[in-house]
Every structure is written in structure tokens, then in C-alpha cells.
Amino acid sequence: MKSNITILGGGLSGRLTALMLARQGFSVSLHDKATRAGEESAAFVAAAMLAPMAEAVDATPQVLSLGYQSIDIWKNIIPTLPEKVMMQFSGSLIVWHPQDKDLSTRFAQYLRHGHQGKETWINWNQDDINQNEPQLTNRFAHGFYLPTEGQLDNRQTLNALASGLEAAGVDCHWQSSPNLESLIGKDAWVIDCRGFGAKQDWNQTQKSQLRGIRGEVARVFAPEITLNRPVRLLHPRYPLYIAPKENHIFVIGATQIESEDNSEVSVRSSLELMSSLYALHPAFGEARILEFLTQLRPTLNHHDPEIRLHRQKKVMSINGLFRHGFMIAPAVCEAAVRMLNQEINGENPQKDSITGLPLNIVE
Ligand SMILES: Cc1cc2nc3c(=O)[nH]c(=O)nc-3n(C[C@H](O)[C@H](O)[C@H](O)COP(=O)(O)OP(=O)(O)OC[C@H]3O[C@@H](n4cnc5c(N)ncnc54)[C@H](O)[C@@H]3O)c2cc1C
């Protein structure tokens, strides 16, 4: 058996990292303050879109590259889990109303810019949209189809990862929240995957600073409506997305507010979310609202993810997955696991050979 590893925080990055390490033969234990369902994590609320093409509008080149690498890793991991997870790669569709044509021109510029000037999308006309998304027939004259994109069901993923951990022999402690310091020096490596929950410890150094960015989503049930892929509606006031999950459940999101207030969804945000849904198709007017949820996205000031190492304390930290956790976590966690192995073998890693992610040493 290899070294003992304790993972603190079993949201998305914690579960993935624990699984990767356990499957390599490490003896892994995991603590999360919430239950096995993961209801305190950003991952529990997320739409779980895997959208490195569309995110070119808002993400760094590093994040886009990690996003593309992660798609293949998800395709390898998901089929190995003990439970079924909805994983769809049917692309995504961007639409807009005629009065918002200028927004589509700007969106196309961002897409091109994020992909070295290449047109990575396919222009769809009304017939294409009618044929591929019959429910949107004659509602939009033009759209951008982004073929490589996909999505997961976030809650199925969290559950299936938990089952995968149990099957791999990980000692899971749900509703357990030990202090980070209390885990140090027990002859085990500690990996801090607490997302926003790590803020106080993370911000003790003068390096990058961690903050939360508020995001709000709605979940609705619309038995009359079928969409074959996530749809983004370009709109000057509420540029939002609708991600169809199984059984006619739709996740509508997400606001992005510079605030660490994690309280319930505001009236204003709920109106904007529902307006975008209704603007996509009035038939959503009869949908039933299941949930309005808020969570904080763990965000670093440079908006890239980071892997840190405190050598003396034997603590590695993974954080800053921001609004892209599902999109990039597989590549980030694999990089962390590779560098941890090198560290244990005395190779003093400085940078991950595959993703190029640096290992940031803290004292
Ligand atoms: C509204 C919204 C929509 C999103 N949509 C998408 C999307 O479509 N695509 C995408 O790629 N990403 C999306 N994201 C981002 C994604 O959810 C996050 O980037 C990702 O969940 C971060 O993973 P993490 O493991 O760092 O943190 P989390 O998933 O938040 O997990 C952190 C875990 O640490 C635990 N924890 C915290 N403190 C302690 C403690 N003291 N002791 C024990 N456990 C602790 C928490 O309970 C939690 O389970 C979205 C996020 C939000 C909020």
C-alpha cells in the first residue's frame, strides 16, 4: 500500500482526486462537512456544462485548454463508476432575438479570439434549428452550434463518485469537518479541496487571494418540453443558459454576482432567470419550479485554478475552479495527483508536464 492521504472537502475536486489516488493504490480517507449528496458544494448547484468553446467569452487560455483536456478524461472516468450518470456530448446552441444581433457579432468575436482566430462553430439557419431542436421551431432565425460541447448531471456525478470512492475502499467521513491543522503531521499527506470553505487558510499568504462569487440557478420541471442540448440565449440584460437534464428537468442559470452573500435567491434574479426561460419559449410558462438555489464559486483573482504545496506541512491545495469546475476538474486533479506522486518520489516537481499547471510552493 502507498502513503496515507487525507482529503479535506469532498465536493467535486475532492471526490475526483480521492478516486484517482485510491485507484493508484493510496490509502485515502475523505472528510466533508455535508452528507454524501454533497449539498453544501458548488457542484451540487452547478449546471455541469462542459463548454470550453462557449466559455472562450469569459475564460483564460489556460482554462480553455484544461476544459478540452478534461472532456476525454470524463469520457474515461464516467463509464467506470458504479452508477449511471447522464453524460451528453450533443454540442450546445447559442440563439438570440433579431434585436440582439449585435450581441451575436460580439460573441462570435470572442469565440474566434479564444481559438486563435478559427471559426470553431457552425452557423445554423432557421431550418437547421427547426430540424435539430424541433421545440424551438421558427422561434430563431440564426444560431451558433458548438459541436464539441457537452454536459453531465451534476448530482448523479456526485452520487456516482461517492459510490466509486466506496468501491475503491476510500474511508469516507460525511458530515465531518476536522480543522486543517489537526490533520497535519500525522504521517499522511493532506489535500485541501474545500473550495470556498478554504478561504481563511488560503488567504494567509500574500499570494493569490480566494473569494466567492455568488451564483443563482433555478430547476424546473417541464414535461411538455424536450431540448436536445444546452441552449444559451444572448440577451443584453440576462445572458443565461438552459441545460436540459433527464426526465424533463431543466437547470436555468446562472447569475454571477460579485458578492459572498450565500443567502436565498433574490426576487430580481428569480425574475431574470424566469424571463430568460420564457423568452426562449413561452411554453415554459407552464413549467413547475422545483428549486431556486444559491452557491459561491471558489474564485482566485487571476481566474485560473491553482495547485499549491506546503512541503513542510505536507499539504497540497487545489482551488480556484471558479465557474468551470466540471469543465476543468478532471485535468486539474490529474495534474495534482501526478505532481503529488513526483513529490513523494523526491522529484521536486515545479510544473505539470501535461497540463503545464505550475506547482505553487508556499511556506
Ligand atoms: C450557480 C453555479 C453554476 C455552475 N455551473 C457550472 C457549469 O455549468 N459548468 C462548470 O464546469 N462549472 C460550473 N460551476 C462551477 C463548479 O460548480 C465549481 O467550480 C466546482 O464545484 C468547484 O469544485 P470544488 O471541489 O473546488 O468546490 P465544491 O464543489 O464547492 O466542494 C467543496 C466541498 O468542500 C466542503 N467543505 C467546505 N468547507 C469544509 C470544511 N471546513 N470541512 C469539510 N468540508 C468542507 C463542502 O461541503 C464541499 O462539499 C457552477 C457553480 C455555480 C455556483
Side-chain angles (χ1 to χ4, degrees):
M1 184 66 84
K2 297 188 185 175
S3 318
N4 293 331
I5 308 221
T6 305
I7 310 256
L8 185 56
L12 182 60
S13 61
R15 288 180 202 214
L16 269 174
T17 308
L19 187 72
M20 290 170 181
L21 287 166
R23 287 182 173 178
Q24 288 185 4
F26 287 94
S27 166
V28 183
S29 60
L30 175 141
H31 296 263
D32 194 281
K33 67 177 179 179
T35 70
R36 190 181 185 280
E39 70 280 3
E40 303 261 355
S41 63
F44 187 78
V45 169
M49 291 194 299
L50 312 176
M53 226 181 243
E55 288 295 315
V57 173
D58 211 15
T60 66
Q62 167 87 279
V63 166
L64 298 187
S65 163
L66 291 166
Y68 283 111
Q69 294 173 54
S70 293
I71 286 178
D72 285 337
I73 306 175
W74 275 128
K75 285 180 178 170
N76 285 332
I77 291 177
I78 293 288
T80 68
L81 297 176
E83 280 159 32
K84 184 184 147 287
V85 175
M86 173 218 181
M87 179 170 67
Q88 181 193 65
F89 285 98
S90 310
S92 63
L93 174 62
I94 318 292
V95 290
W96 56 92
H97 292 296
Q99 64 272 25
D100 298 324
K101 188 171 178 304
D102 288 351
L103 294 177
S104 72
T105 310
R106 211 173 314 144
F107 193 85
Q109 280 167 357
Y110 281 121
L111 285 187
R112 227 179 262 117
H113 180 71
H115 295 87
Q116 292 81 40
K118 282 191 228 127
E119 273 201 20
T120 45
W121 70 91
I122 298 166
N123 290 305
W124 274 3
N125 60 26
Q126 189 162 321
D127 287 343
D128 297 322
I129 297 175
N130 293 352
Q131 206 179 330
N132 289 287
E133 287 293 356
Q135 209 91 49
L136 300 182
T137 293
N138 296 341
R139 292 202 53 77
F140 298 97
H142 303 282
F144 297 143
Y145 174 59
L146 312 185
T148 54
E149 305 207 320
Q151 62 163 334
L152 295 165
D153 183 297
N154 60 329
R155 295 182 189 175
Q156 288 178 1
T157 305
L158 287 172
N159 274 323
L161 283 172
S163 300
L165 295 179
E166 286 149 14
V170 174
D171 191 10
C172 295
H173 303 265
W174 306 114
Q175 297 180 290
S176 165
S177 182
N179 191 291
L180 176 66
E181 290 295 324
S182 73
L183 300 173
I184 294 169
K186 295 209 168 133
D187 199 30
W189 279 87
V190 179
I191 308 190
D192 183 359
C193 295
R194 286 175 294 166
F196 178 69
K199 180 178 171 182
Q200 214 185 341
D201 288 314
W202 185 279
N203 289 351
Q204 271 176 9
T205 76
Q206 295 304 308
K207 305 203 173 195
S208 64
Q209 296 291 294
L210 182 69
R211 71 187 193 282
I213 295 187
R214 178 178 166 94
E216 297 152 303
V217 295
R219 280 187 169 235
V220 305
F221 172 56
E224 317 270 289
I225 301 181
T226 302
L227 290 177
N228 295 318
R229 53 187 59 78
V231 178
R232 289 184 194 229
L233 178 67
L234 301 181
H235 191 283
R237 278 195 298 279
Y238 35 81
L240 298 173
Y241 55 72
I242 289 128
K245 305 300 179 191
E246 285 179 334
N247 304 321
H248 301 279
I249 307 267
F250 296 82
V251 178
I252 300 99
T255 61
Q256 186 164 313
I257 300 169
E258 200 53 67
S259 163
E260 292 185 347
D261 173 357
N262 201 16
S263 63
E264 287 80 359
V265 174
S266 68
V267 169
R268 178 193 177 142
S269 295
S270 69
L271 287 171
E272 290 182 353
L273 292 168
M274 293 299 104
S275 303
S276 88
L277 191 59
Y278 195 64
L280 187 75
H281 202 305
F284 274 111
E286 282 309 311
R288 296 296 185 259
I289 298 171
L290 302 177
E291 291 172 9
F292 274 123
L293 290 169
T294 307
Q295 258 300 348
L296 301 178
R297 304 175 178 94
T299 310
L300 297 170
N301 36 301
H302 46 59
H303 285 194
D304 275 329
E306 226 183 284
I307 304 172
R308 278 186 181 175
L309 182 73
H310 195 302
R311 284 215 160 97
Q312 283 76 37
K313 292 186 173 176
K314 287 174 133 181
V315 176
M316 181 177 262
S317 306
I318 304 171
N319 220 316
L321 300 188
F322 183 32
R323 53 177 280 149
H324 309 113
F326 278 90
M327 190 176 108
I328 63 174
V332 174
C333 297
E334 274 199 358
V337 167
R338 261 190 303 274
M339 291 196 281
L340 183 69
N341 271 297
Q342 291 168 348
E343 180 68 22
I344 289 170
N345 293 336
E347 294 167 31
N348 281 353
Q350 296 180 355
K351 193 178 183 180
D352 178 49
S353 54
I354 295 183
T355 60
L357 276 172
L359 183 62
N360 293 330
I361 307 294
V362 289
E363 304 295 329

